[in-house]
Amino acid sequence: MKLFDIAHSRTGDKGNISNISVIVYDQKDYDLVRDHLTAERVKDHFKGIVHGDVVRYEAPSLGALNFVMQDALGGGVTRSLALDAHGKCLASALLAMEIPGET
């Protein structure tokens, strides 16, 4: 299944840092997302875009994971030549990631 089937996101950016939170619609899906959406997998998903570290923060009571991605915005929103490889665009790409569904 696609991540967007069970979660939504919120985003932000500051300088050359992108911040994406993934929030499950239903708390029962939190463990599934937590187990499959690792910092390493997110960094690999954004290979060629995110050149720095990716750190994951967990907020289980909110059913959320927050990813802080360093060196992710082509030098920063005001310096980047990308049309919109920022916040919402990156979140949409992350939510399109395949994760295993419950069997």
Side-chain angles (χ1 to χ4, degrees):
M1 80 174 114
K2 299 279 189 181
L3 188 54
F4 61 67
D5 291 326
I6 59 173
H8 62 101
S9 68
R10 299 285 300 173
T11 65
D13 47 62
K14 190 72 162 178
N16 200 21
I17 300 168
S18 183
N19 175 12
I20 301 176
S21 292
V22 175
I23 307 113
V24 295
Y25 294 122
D26 190 322
Q27 189 68 29
K28 72 175 178 55
D29 294 319
Y30 177 74
D31 290 340
L32 175 70
V33 172
R34 184 198 62 219
D35 292 348
H36 293 284
L37 199 58
T38 64
E40 295 78 18
R41 188 153 184 230
V42 170
K43 183 164 173 95
D44 186 59
H45 188 70
F46 288 119
K47 186 177 14 185
I49 296 172
V50 175
H51 302 285
D53 292 334
V54 174
V55 178
R56 181 178 86 169
Y57 297 94
E58 298 181 14
S61 62
L62 300 175
L65 300 172
N66 185 51
F67 296 90
V68 177
M69 304 182 297
Q70 302 287 332
D71 195 10
L73 301 174
V77 174
T78 59
R79 293 181 55 202
S80 175
L81 298 177
L83 292 176
D84 189 21
H86 314 301
K88 291 177 183 65
C89 183
L90 291 177
S92 292
L94 184 59
L95 291 176
M97 179 188 288
E98 291 276 346
I99 62 169
E102 292 185 76
T103 56

